[in-house]
Amino acid sequence: MIQKPKGTKDILPGDSYKWQYVEEKAKEILENYGFKEIRVPVFEQTELFERGVGDTTDVVQKEMYTFLDKGERSITLRPEGTAGVVRAYIENGMASLPSPIKMWYMMPMYRYENVQKGRYREFRQIGAEIIGTASYEADVELIAMANETIKKFNIPGVTLNINSIGCPTCRAKYQEALKEFIGKNLDQYCDTCKTRFEKNPMRILDCKERKCKELNQGAPVILDYLCEECSTHFENVKKSLQFLNIPYVIDAGIVRGLDYYTKTVFEFVSETEGYTVLAGGRYDGLVEELGGQKTEAIGFAMGEDRLIDIFEKYAKEEIKDTTPDLYIAYIGEIAKQESMNLAFELRNRGIYVETDICGRSMKASLKYADKMNCRYLLVIGEEEVNTKQAKLKDMKTGEEKEIKLDIESIIENAK
Ligand code: HAM
């Protein structure tokens, strides 16, 4: 038997309603904040991610699904959404639209990860990007929206961690200090860290190797090196979050695994599950890096698979799959025609109706209606068709009543 690739999942009909629930609720919040949907290709030119996400990141160096297409072009399945969204922003001249542009997406992403709890190779993100504003109010609005989303799903034990990783000006000084610190023990770091030392020493702080993590203890923190502008920006973000009563923890250790980040970065971490549910930050240099005008931006992405895992565990009662409003059971040819006709009309009127399409006996039909948790049951034979009267059974209470066999009467009684 052919099996699905490692790190992927089938979302089956018995589960898809949970995904739909999360997506609908998230969409409601995103749209109330003025975000509009964007859809970008599943695959892009590899160079987009090398330049956008950064060629010294784990994502680019170790995790991308890259291949040559039949025209010998290097193509990569998107490992994240921001680079593609920014490419679309530039390519479609969106800079000329009223600014800022607020966009959301729900898209599958692909990373060749070590598969474990909450870490998949195909996973879905719900993301939001605000492109075209440098002001701290955008950071606050976005973090507040992320916070509302997490609250909406009643996820317990989630902490908001924030940090500022500065701009290229403050980072230059910081990187010097960091290199001095790491340089003393460089020979003990892993090979990947050694290769990142010259080009991007901050990446070393993101290394997942135990030994490197230990060596990083006591490393200088970027917060001590922020320039005045970055420092004021961060202070304003913190003050506004306090004002909005959004609790946060400053975590000077957050550097984030993607190179485009500047200034504010944040993560919503589930303490109970031990992983990040939602993460993001400012990326003021990315639009320019990818060929656009200097345009500041900020965004986040929420791991939908992780959200569903947690949500299922803690909020079992919250969501239910839809069940049929009505089952129409019939006996005989004439009643079958009538049932099909009624089902067709009722569905057109927005009622969820089931009727037999498998040639079941009456007994089997009733059993099926019960298994499907149908709310009402209508039984029709030739007599019911002729007299235009039929019995409607409330499957919850067992109560039966005689109703007129027409659309209006069924709608009125079966609700
Ligand atoms: P990221 O931190 O790489 O950021 O991913 C965001 C979220 O996606 C993570 O916090 C996690 O919930 C989920 N996620 C990441 N990798 C996996 C995986 N292998 N399996 C399951 N879930 C995963 C970004 O992708 C940025 N583009 C976010 C952003 C948008 N920053 C600015 N705008």
Side-chain angles (χ1 to χ4, degrees):
M1 187 190 55
I2 299 171
Q3 296 187 333
K4 60 186 177 304
K6 192 174 170 189
T8 65
K9 60 162 71 106
D10 298 315
I11 300 172
L12 301 173
D15 285 321
S16 52
Y17 70 95
K18 296 171 203 158
W19 296 75
Q20 287 166 356
Y21 174 87
V22 163
E23 287 164 12
E24 272 160 30
K25 292 285 161 203
K27 186 172 162 226
E28 229 171 80
I29 299 174
L30 289 157
E31 303 232 323
N32 285 343
Y33 276 79
F35 288 72
K36 305 275 182 211
E37 187 183 8
I38 181 164
R39 299 183 191 193
V40 292
V42 169
F43 58 87
E44 298 269 3
Q45 293 185 46
T46 302
E47 191 192 348
L48 174 72
F49 302 113
E50 286 170 349
R51 272 173 51 194
V53 173
D55 55 8
T56 53
T57 58
D58 273 357
V59 169
V60 169
Q61 285 186 335
K62 303 180 184 169
E63 296 167 3
M64 292 208 303
Y65 281 90
T66 299
F67 57 94
L68 287 182
D69 71 5
K70 291 192 194 308
E72 302 281 301
R73 300 171 201 91
S74 182
I75 295 292
T76 293
L77 299 186
R78 65 176 172 234
E80 61 98 53
T82 312
V85 169
V86 169
R87 195 243 341 112
Y89 171 87
I90 301 167
E91 190 172 342
N92 294 288
M94 291 169 82
S96 63
L97 299 173
S99 185
I101 309 272
K102 294 178 176 181
M103 293 178 270
W104 67 261
Y105 50 84
M106 291 176 192
M107 309 192 291
M109 308 292 167
Y110 301 86
R111 295 185 194 174
Y112 193 81
E113 298 254 25
N114 285 325
V115 177
Q116 49 186 281
K117 183 184 151 210
R119 199 166 282 283
Y120 312 105
R121 292 188 177 165
E122 181 188 58
F123 59 97
R124 284 134 284 259
Q125 282 186 344
I126 300 177
E129 315 286 353
I130 307 180
I131 304 184
T133 171
S135 63
Y136 77 87
E137 288 90 342
D139 307 28
V140 176
E141 185 174 285
L142 194 82
I143 294 174
M145 182 173 78
N147 190 55
E148 279 310 299
T149 312
I150 298 287
K151 263 173 43 194
K152 187 90 185 175
F153 297 120
N154 294 321
I155 305 170
V158 174
T159 310
L160 163 62
N161 297 324
I162 61 168
N163 191 22
S164 172
I165 54 169
C167 63
T169 313
C170 31
R171 222 177 280 172
K173 263 193 264 156
Y174 173 61
Q175 293 202 342
E176 260 173 49
L178 195 58
K179 275 170 91 174
E180 204 184 312
F181 175 86
I182 293 170
K184 288 184 214 146
N185 297 313
L186 187 61
D187 54 331
Q188 294 176 57
Y189 278 86
C190 72
D191 288 344
T192 312
C193 283
K194 282 182 192 138
T195 63
R196 290 170 176 176
F197 181 71
E198 280 307 330
K199 217 173 159 194
N200 197 346
M202 268 172 85
R203 280 275 71 86
I204 295 177
L205 298 179
D206 203 34
C207 183
K208 290 168 189 94
E209 296 280 330
R210 201 165 54 91
K211 176 84 184 144
C212 302
K213 277 186 174 171
E214 277 168 22
L215 289 166
N216 286 336
Q217 297 286 325
V221 293
I222 180 91
L223 280 181
D224 295 333
Y225 292 81
L226 292 187
C227 66
E228 203 180 323
E229 190 204 317
C230 288
S231 176
T232 310
H233 186 99
F234 195 45
E235 285 308 311
N236 283 331
V237 170
K238 287 190 292 181
K239 258 192 242 154
S240 300
L241 290 178
Q242 277 159 22
F243 185 71
L244 290 175
N245 283 323
I246 298 176
Y248 63 83
V249 174
I250 294 179
D251 180 352
I254 304 179
V255 284
R256 310 282 301 119
L258 314 163
D259 270 355
Y260 48 64
Y261 288 114
T262 53
K263 292 187 175 163
T264 317
V265 285
F266 56 93
E267 298 178 344
F268 284 82
V269 180
S270 160
E271 303 301 340
T272 45
E273 303 306 300
Y275 53 51
T276 305
V277 188
L278 182 156
R282 229 174 217 293
Y283 50 95
D284 289 347
L286 184 60
V287 177
E288 215 176 356
E289 171 63 38
L290 294 177
Q293 299 291 318
K294 181 164 171 45
T295 311
E296 293 83 358
I298 183 164
F300 71 67
M302 180 162 65
E304 196 182 351
D305 303 65
R306 292 185 184 182
L307 186 71
I308 302 263
D309 286 350
I310 302 178
F311 192 51
E312 271 193 315
K313 220 164 152 178
Y314 298 102
K316 286 203 176 89
E317 304 310 314
E318 264 291 303
I319 42 171
K320 285 195 180 80
D321 199 0
T322 46
T323 48
D325 299 316
L326 177 69
Y327 189 92
I328 309 177
Y330 57 81
I331 314 168
E333 266 316 296
I334 295 171
K336 184 202 298 186
Q337 295 307 329
E338 179 73 6
S339 299
M340 294 231 158
N341 194 31
L342 284 172
F344 178 78
E345 298 272 338
L346 287 165
R347 287 165 180 159
N348 274 346
R349 298 281 295 269
I351 314 261
Y352 174 9
V353 183
E354 288 280 8
T355 188
D356 179 48
I357 49 169
C358 302
R360 285 192 174 98
S361 66
M362 174 57 76
K363 195 174 158 205
S365 283
L366 298 184
K367 215 167 152 187
Y368 180 75
D370 196 41
K371 257 199 208 147
M372 292 284 287
N373 278 324
C374 295
R375 182 72 182 85
Y376 289 95
L377 170 72
L378 191 67
V379 180
I380 311 178
E382 203 174 327
E383 196 187 324
E384 281 78 9
V385 177
N386 290 334
T387 58
K388 293 254 162 253
Q389 292 280 327
K391 279 208 178 87
L392 182 76
K393 183 175 177 185
D394 182 328
M395 299 288 276
K396 240 190 220 161
T397 61
E399 226 174 87
E400 277 188 344
K401 74 171 152 180
E402 188 86 13
I403 63 161
K404 259 173 71 191
L405 194 57
D406 64 31
I407 299 292
E408 297 309 328
S409 170
I410 296 172
I411 292 177
E412 191 173 322
N413 288 287
K415 56 177 180 195

